[in-house]
Amino acid sequence: ELLTDTDRRAQNDARETLDNIDMQQVQEYVDWMVSTKKFKPKDKQRMAELLSLHSHHFVNAVANKYRLCNKTQQELFAYIEEKFGATSTAGQFLSLRVRYARNPNGYFADKIKQLTAGPPENTNFRVNSAELVNIIAAHYPVGLREIQLQFDNENYNDLHHWIKQKGGKHNAVYFLLKLIDNSARWAEKEATMH
């Protein structure tokens, strides 16, 4: 029931901004993680509460601090996967939560690449087209340009041509390309207005 406390999450989102993170609380969480060798159910509950009830900025601060404070400089999402186990749904959810908090644009750029993996003649595009449309349409126009730039930088390929190549003659391709192209134009127009 604590994990679905949307009022508490909203309060934390409003309070825990980039400039207003309680670094002492962050350090307490990191100290606990570094000193906890084996996760018991109460530890898993505490980790779930930490990652579910705090803002993206707070989770990112914990992830940064954890990476600096552990001997191997392990990423927090890898630590979660290790402590919860490879088959844990909760562990997978929390790992995704950390990845998203660390870099939302990178998270969606990676997700687009995963959804379109494979050679053009054997792509996952058809199977995943609805999810791909949801990601691109949901981020149009504001966030899509940043996701596109992240994708282009990480993959040495631009998103427009990637979708065109992977989608082939699928009926969603035209729609997706229009959104991608218009988001770039929208970003250029916004830049000239400010």
Side-chain angles (χ1 to χ4, degrees):
E1 52 203 51
L2 259 176
L3 299 180
T4 58
D5 187 347
T6 54
D7 291 335
R8 185 168 166 198
R9 172 65 190 270
Q11 290 170 350
N12 286 340
D13 278 346
R15 188 182 69 240
E16 298 169 346
T17 62
L18 187 58
D19 300 326
N20 190 28
I21 299 293
D22 182 350
M23 291 309 290
Q24 182 177 346
Q25 187 180 21
V26 167
Q27 187 64 52
E28 288 170 8
Y29 277 120
V30 170
D31 291 343
W32 163 71
M33 285 186 271
V34 170
S35 67
T36 304
K37 302 297 178 213
K38 185 170 174 147
F39 263 32
K40 296 176 182 165
K42 68 179 175 80
D43 296 313
K44 290 181 179 182
Q45 177 73 22
R46 184 176 181 189
M47 180 62 77
E49 289 173 11
L50 158 67
L51 298 175
S52 299
L53 295 176
H54 287 282
S55 72
H56 296 320
H57 298 296
F58 188 89
V59 171
N60 193 38
V62 170
N64 286 334
K65 191 71 167 173
Y66 174 76
R67 187 166 188 270
L68 293 173
C69 290
N70 73 77
K71 294 174 189 166
T72 62
Q73 293 192 330
Q74 179 185 42
E75 289 285 351
L76 181 56
F77 62 82
Y79 171 83
I80 291 166
E81 291 165 1
E82 177 185 299
K83 295 296 184 184
F84 279 77
T87 59
S88 167
T89 303
Q92 291 170 0
F93 166 77
L94 296 173
S95 175
L96 287 175
R97 169 78 171 103
V98 172
R99 289 175 192 262
Y100 180 82
R102 300 281 285 150
N103 181 355
N105 296 329
Y107 171 80
F108 285 112
D110 290 345
K111 190 70 176 167
I112 290 168
K113 181 138 187 198
Q114 290 170 5
L115 292 171
T116 57
E121 65 279 356
N122 190 24
T123 185
N124 290 328
F125 194 95
R126 280 180 198 54
V127 174
N128 298 320
S129 62
E131 189 173 356
L132 190 61
V133 167
N134 285 339
I135 290 170
I136 290 176
H139 291 91
Y140 175 81
V142 180
L144 182 55
R145 180 62 180 158
E146 286 78 23
I147 293 169
Q148 180 183 6
L149 293 172
Q150 183 86 33
F151 184 94
D152 296 354
N153 289 335
E154 289 179 4
N155 298 293
Y156 308 105
N157 196 342
D158 72 85
L159 184 59
H160 174 100
H161 290 97
W162 180 267
I163 296 292
K164 189 173 183 177
Q165 175 192 15
K166 296 294 185 171
K169 297 188 184 296
H170 191 278
N171 58 5
V173 171
Y174 176 80
F175 173 70
L176 293 171
L177 294 178
K178 287 296 181 187
L179 289 176
I180 291 166
D181 294 344
N182 286 331
S183 73
R185 283 195 277 284
W186 185 86
E188 289 169 9
K189 185 176 178 182
E190 279 290 303
T192 60
M193 293 176 70
H194 296 288

